[in-house]
Amino acid sequence: MIMSRIEAPRDEVTGNLLDRLLDGLPAEAVLTDPDVTAAYAHDMASFCPAGTPAAVVLPRTVEQVQHVLRTATELRVPVVPQGARTGLSGGANASDGCLVLSLTKMDRILEISPVDRIAVVEPGVVNAVLSRAVAEHGLSYPPDPSSWEMCTIGGNIGTASGGLCCVKYGVTAEYVLGLDVVLADGRLMSTGRRTAKGVAGYDLTRLFVGSEGSLGVVVRATLALKPQPPRQLVLAAEFASAAAACDAVCRIMADGHVPSLLELMDRTTVKAVNELTRMGLPETTEALLLAAFDTPDPAADLAAVGALCEAAGATQVVPAEDAAESELLLQARRSSLVALEAVKGTTMIDDVCVPRSRLGDMLEGVERIAEKYRLTIGVCAHAGDGNTHPTVCFDAADPDEARRARESFDEIMALGLELGGTITGEHGVGVLKKEWLARELGPVGMEMQRRIKQAFDPLGILNPGKLF
Amino acid sequence: MIMSRIEAPRDEVTGNLLDRLLDGLPAEAVLTDPDVTAAYAHDMASFCPAGTPAAVVLPRTVEQVQHVLRTATELRVPVVPQGARTGLSGGANASDGCLVLSLTKMDRILEISPVDRIAVVEPGVVNAVLSRAVAEHGLSYPPDPSSWEMCTIGGNIGTASGGLCCVKYGVTAEYVLGLDVVLADGRLMSTGRRTAKGVAGYDLTRLFVGSEGSLGVVVRATLALKPQPPRQLVLAAEFASAAAACDAVCRIMADGHVPSLLELMDRTTVKAVNELTRMGLPETTEALLLAAFDTPDPAADLAAVGALCEAAGATQVVPAEDAAESELLLQARRSSLVALEAVKGTTMIDDVCVPRSRLGDMLEGVERIAEKYRLTIGVCAHAGDGNTHPTVCFDAADPDEARRARESFDEIMALGLELGGTITGEHGVGVLKKEWLARELGPVGMEMQRRIKQAFDPLGILNPGKLF
């Protein structure tokens, strides 16, 4: 790697930057081979614009991160903090001449305490690795984005990611108790606590969750854990219309149930999953609802929910008989995005969250938009949260279709705002939705957002061009 | 009241202020009679310093609040936002010449939605009023500070208050989805959402929770609700030492239980409650632990927890037989602070939260401090959260005792920090602990806290002298 550094084209500015970086980083922690650094240039929103980084740094210690930020401040070089690049909004995309600061090598689990129900981790720990480690202590770390086998805790914190569990267990923000953060100028700040409660000063911890690396770099996190729940049991219900499925969701939630998962797949998604996986999901259905409970008596809860589904017009209700059958149903749901990607080669995944009472209106509206733009738009949704992922399938090589895809994508966000929702339930703003943020927050909200940014990063070197 | 305004001494500055206020407020919304305004000068931390307000304003609409803030900005008059003044840190205390802005007249519940599981309320709604209103829809608003029959939602948000339920249901912060806030200059800003999830921009909602009215004035809140759980059943366990009781707490939490309440009263507190209420709690015990479950089968959970208490050395374990017996035990716990106040006339209530694994060390340390300063210090604690309320009982008329009380109070906070805890688990900083905030947060943390304050309130007119 040090060879590649020397071979790469070195203008004076870059040369100076690299020399300064190497004052505090080992050579193998600084990558400059363009073939290598290109792989770090973007996250999974492949259609979002991305620049060419000057270098990629892979620190292993807090001190090394501090050195990187001090150097970047001194030389006014933009820094793009990065986890596993599984994001869907371009939030980790490089800008031209930036330093990509990958935290993936800081991947130690520093502590797991069953009595205090906390874990202390470095940002590069993979979500699934942490989940398995705490499971050995009878504990669970609930947030479970679809990318959980790859994504890192630091990335989860940066994007405030969600997952299938949120309807019962909430989002990443609710599990972050305290942080160690390296500020733009290289100083180290601790926020929050390792106690169950604490209200000493403004809640800077929560401010960092979802800030997409634009306020500082998380180098350590204290996370809340829960006792491991019983294994969940899943039920599948088929509906003759999306409206009926959404009605079932409303009945289930209004009736006081607390499912551990409540997911919806529309006809387009079901068909795509069948084509990819040969799973044999029922193709005649217009909407498939998956509900799960991890309660002491999940079969009883599923029976009650099944009855509500039938009252809402379900054509068939099939409770899984055991954990293996349940897992199969979840696999179908988890493969939705990949399956929809296979339809036309490229997707734009939207992430509009509406009040769940408006879920039916949202799905109806998306169908209308798909017709208007002559596009395939599959919807899978964390239905219990009203969090929809309308996924526009298009051929990126067809400019007219790509234009229609972009326009439909925007119209879906407009619809979400009109229904009292938000442009992003869990994927974040990144570069994908930054023009939309102002529409959601309004001028006063935007001004205060910018003042926060200014307070933490007066030089604007942290992940510039994202969020705003 | 308009009479009292005219009769009150009016210097030119105050006269101008009052005239401007009355341009946008009805006369009955502006109080200036010193006998009346004195009642608004302080919260329940009666020993904290409080100034004399220039006036008290009681707006009924958002527009009136905006007028107050615009006027205050224009004339550079400090504004002290205020709920029911049940706070315990002096956070709502008046400063000399300030405008006390009481939100108690804005007390409408605007919406309760069982499908979306949210309530939209004005800040002056009393916690218990909201709790009862949502209960009629089969819903619950969990945060339950001891003052829940009096305190307001706006005050709860300002102080990020907790309660007995937190060990299972978390604190106020976790129930605030969105806010309407009047900024220092009178502009209105909306934060957050009415959806279950949302990550559009920095989380300004959480920044306001616990900000003690120092960043803006909350005029509307969208709150998350939960389905109403089954009624909880309580168990009481007696221990021959506080250490054994703390050991039981650790065993219960490490064993994966999720009690709806896990409270501890030390010998001093038990004795005080008996003296006040003649409840006949067991006086020979060194520590009384109360555990509760609101699960489908609370008796089974209590049996398991009872066994763990016995394993930790409980001398007696008494499960309540029904809801009435449970309620009696909770009343004992709820009357602790009043009972301790009766011991010597005045109390200083500390609010140190430690990792629950250090709870035993905390209690042992407080006992040592009580001996050192020759004081009665009763401890009740939200033991499941490690959140202790060491309550120093003293005679305010005895200067030496008052000095010792203050010193012991500080030493308790120092001990909490030493044990990896925080100076405030749920009561906030106010004026009581502002010198301690810097010790907990350190210089970098304090600098960023101040920058946040500066971003929202550049003139420093919002609740000056609190927090910092």
Side-chain angles (χ1 to χ4, degrees), chain B residues 189-380:
Chain B
M189 176 176 75
S190 292
T191 73
R193 57 190 206 270
R194 56 177 284 140
T195 52
K197 293 153 81 178
V199 292
Y202 303 133
D203 191 344
L204 301 189
T205 307
R206 300 287 178 127
L207 199 57
F208 276 92
V209 179
S211 65
E212 301 188 356
S214 68
L215 300 179
V217 179
V218 171
V219 289
R220 183 174 293 197
T222 302
L223 304 171
L225 305 173
K226 296 254 185 206
Q228 215 170 19
R231 246 183 130 156
Q232 63 185 0
L233 209 59
V234 182
L235 163 151
E238 296 172 38
F239 293 85
S241 72
C246 295
D247 180 33
V249 169
C250 292
R251 285 169 190 247
I252 292 166
M253 299 306 281
D255 202 43
H257 293 281
V258 185
S260 51
L261 171 154
L262 189 53
E263 297 288 319
L264 184 146
M265 298 161 69
D266 74 349
R267 178 193 45 197
T268 305
T269 307
V270 167
K271 207 167 147 243
V273 169
N274 273 344
E275 268 169 34
L276 184 79
T277 66
R278 312 276 163 222
M279 265 192 182
L281 296 173
E283 294 221 0
T284 53
T285 190
E286 285 295 307
L288 190 68
L289 198 64
L290 301 179
F293 286 86
D294 59 3
T295 47
D297 187 0
D301 289 310
L302 286 184
V305 158
L308 290 170
C309 287
E310 277 162 4
T315 53
Q316 193 161 8
V317 173
V318 187
E321 299 218 327
D322 53 30
E325 243 182 72
S326 293
E327 192 42 45
L328 213 66
L329 286 168
L330 293 188
Q331 269 176 34
R333 168 61 187 87
R334 286 217 186 87
S335 58
S336 296
L337 292 184
V338 180
L340 287 167
E341 216 161 62
V343 173
K344 282 273 197 165
T346 313
T347 52
M348 294 183 79
I349 304 156
D350 224 323
D351 175 40
V352 170
C353 191
V354 294
R356 71 175 71 88
S357 56
R358 308 308 298 274
L359 192 59
D361 298 325
M362 185 69 204
L363 265 70
E364 193 195 315
V366 170
E367 211 172 308
R368 213 171 44 236
I369 292 167
E371 269 172 40
K372 173 176 166 187
Y373 289 99
R374 292 169 287 120
L375 287 163
T376 301
I377 305 179
V379 181
C380 51

Side-chain angles (χ1 to χ4, degrees), chain A residues 298-356:
Chain A
D301 289 310
L302 286 185
V305 158
L308 290 170
C309 287
E310 277 162 3
T315 52
Q316 195 162 6
V317 172
V318 187
E321 299 218 326
D322 53 30
E325 245 182 70
S326 294
E327 192 42 45
L328 213 66
L329 286 167
L330 293 189
Q331 270 177 34
R333 167 63 186 88
R334 286 217 185 88
S335 57
S336 296
L337 292 183
V338 180
L340 287 166
E341 217 162 62
V343 173
K344 283 272 199 166
T346 314
T347 52
M348 293 183 79
I349 303 157
D350 225 323
D351 175 39
V352 170
C353 191
V354 295
R356 70 174 72 86

Side-chain angles (χ1 to χ4, degrees), chain B residues 4-327:
Chain B
S4 69
R5 184 177 65 79
I6 291 162
E7 285 168 354
R10 279 180 66 136
D11 59 37
E12 201 180 324
V13 175
T14 308
N16 188 26
L17 169 64
L18 296 176
D19 289 342
R20 300 295 272 273
L21 286 173
L22 289 167
D23 287 343
L25 288 168
E28 71 271 17
V30 183
L31 313 181
T32 56
D33 179 337
D35 292 340
V36 176
T37 59
Y40 290 83
H42 57 78
D43 66 16
M44 286 174 74
S46 49
F47 46 86
C48 285
T52 304
V56 174
V57 288
L58 293 149
R60 288 180 182 270
T61 67
V62 173
E63 291 69 28
Q64 289 176 357
V65 176
Q66 291 185 276
H67 174 71
V68 170
L69 270 296
R70 271 193 299 263
T71 305
T73 285
E74 196 187 323
L75 303 178
R76 307 288 193 268
V77 177
V79 174
V80 178
Q82 209 175 65
R85 299 191 309 280
T86 53
L88 295 165
S89 302
N93 282 11
S95 48
D96 279 331
C98 79
L99 269 180
V100 166
L101 171 53
S102 170
L103 282 308
T104 49
K105 299 287 185 198
M106 293 179 67
D107 62 353
R108 290 177 303 163
I109 297 174
L110 302 169
E111 185 189 345
I112 295 170
S113 165
V115 171
D116 293 329
R117 289 188 186 164
I118 58 168
V120 182
V121 303
E122 291 185 332
V125 171
V126 169
N127 182 301
V129 170
L130 177 64
S131 294
R132 289 188 195 111
V134 303
E136 284 177 27
H137 299 268
L139 293 163
S140 114
Y141 176 69
D144 62 343
S146 298
S147 56
W148 74 299
E149 290 279 7
M150 290 181 287
C151 63
T152 64
I153 296 298
N156 294 169
I157 292 170
T159 55
S161 57
L164 304 188
C165 76
C166 304
V167 64
K168 179 166 183 177
Y169 293 103
V171 294
T172 296
E174 286 162 58
Y175 294 88
V176 185
L177 297 178
L179 295 171
D180 282 359
V181 176
V182 176
L183 298 175
D185 59 13
R187 287 185 298 171
L188 186 63
M189 176 176 75
S190 292
T191 73
R193 57 190 206 270
R194 56 177 284 140
T195 52
K197 293 153 81 178
V199 292
Y202 303 133
D203 191 344
L204 301 189
T205 307
R206 300 287 178 127
L207 199 57
F208 276 92
V209 179
S211 65
E212 301 188 356
S214 68
L215 300 179
V217 179
V218 171
V219 289
R220 183 174 293 197
T222 302
L223 304 171
L225 305 173
K226 296 254 185 206
Q228 215 170 19
R231 246 183 130 156
Q232 63 185 0
L233 209 59
V234 182
L235 163 151
E238 296 172 38
F239 293 85
S241 72
C246 295
D247 180 33
V249 169
C250 292
R251 285 169 190 247
I252 292 166
M253 299 306 281
D255 202 43
H257 293 281
V258 185
S260 51
L261 171 154
L262 189 53
E263 297 288 319
L264 184 146
M265 298 161 69
D266 74 349
R267 178 193 45 197
T268 305
T269 307
V270 167
K271 207 167 147 243
V273 169
N274 273 344
E275 268 169 34
L276 184 79
T277 66
R278 312 276 163 222
M279 265 192 182
L281 296 173
E283 294 221 0
T284 53
T285 190
E286 285 295 307
L288 190 68
L289 198 64
L290 301 179
F293 286 86
D294 59 3
T295 47
D297 187 0
D301 289 310
L302 286 184
V305 158
L308 290 170
C309 287
E310 277 162 4
T315 53
Q316 193 161 8
V317 173
V318 187
E321 299 218 327
D322 53 30
E325 243 182 72
S326 293
E327 192 42 45

Side-chain angles (χ1 to χ4, degrees), chain A residues 53-236:
Chain A
V56 174
V57 289
L58 294 149
R60 289 180 181 271
T61 68
V62 173
E63 292 69 26
Q64 289 176 356
V65 175
Q66 292 185 275
H67 175 71
V68 171
L69 271 296
R70 270 194 299 263
T71 305
T73 284
E74 195 187 323
L75 303 178
R76 306 289 193 268
V77 176
V79 174
V80 178
Q82 209 175 65
R85 299 191 310 281
T86 54
L88 294 166
S89 302
N93 282 10
S95 48
D96 280 331
C98 79
L99 267 182
V100 166
L101 171 52
S102 170
L103 282 308
T104 48
K105 299 287 186 199
M106 292 179 68
D107 62 353
R108 290 177 303 162
I109 297 174
L110 302 168
E111 186 188 345
I112 295 171
S113 165
V115 171
D116 293 330
R117 289 187 186 165
I118 58 168
V120 182
V121 303
E122 291 185 331
V125 171
V126 169
N127 182 299
V129 171
L130 177 64
S131 294
R132 290 190 194 109
V134 303
E136 284 177 29
H137 299 269
L139 293 163
S140 114
Y141 176 68
D144 62 343
S146 297
S147 56
W148 74 300
E149 290 279 6
M150 291 180 288
C151 63
T152 63
I153 296 298
N156 295 170
I157 292 171
T159 56
S161 57
L164 304 188
C165 76
C166 304
V167 64
K168 179 165 183 179
Y169 293 102
V171 293
T172 297
E174 287 161 59
Y175 294 87
V176 184
L177 298 178
L179 295 172
D180 282 0
V181 176
V182 175
L183 298 174
D185 59 12
R187 286 185 299 171
L188 186 64
M189 176 176 75
S190 292
T191 74
R193 57 191 206 268
R194 56 178 284 143
T195 52
K197 293 154 80 180
V199 293
Y202 304 132
D203 190 345
L204 301 189
T205 307
R206 299 289 177 126
L207 199 57
F208 275 92
V209 179
S211 64
E212 302 189 355
S214 67
L215 300 179
V217 179
V218 171
V219 290
R220 184 174 293 197
T222 302
L223 305 171
L225 304 173
K226 297 253 184 207
Q228 214 170 19
R231 248 184 127 157
Q232 64 185 359
L233 210 57
V234 182
L235 164 150

Side-chain angles (χ1 to χ4, degrees), chain A residues 403-420:
Chain A
R403 178 191 54 76
R404 281 183 281 128
R406 180 78 224 188
E407 284 176 17
S408 71
F409 187 80
D410 283 356
E411 204 160 315
I412 288 167
M413 283 191 279
L415 172 65
L417 290 180
E418 200 183 298
L419 294 174

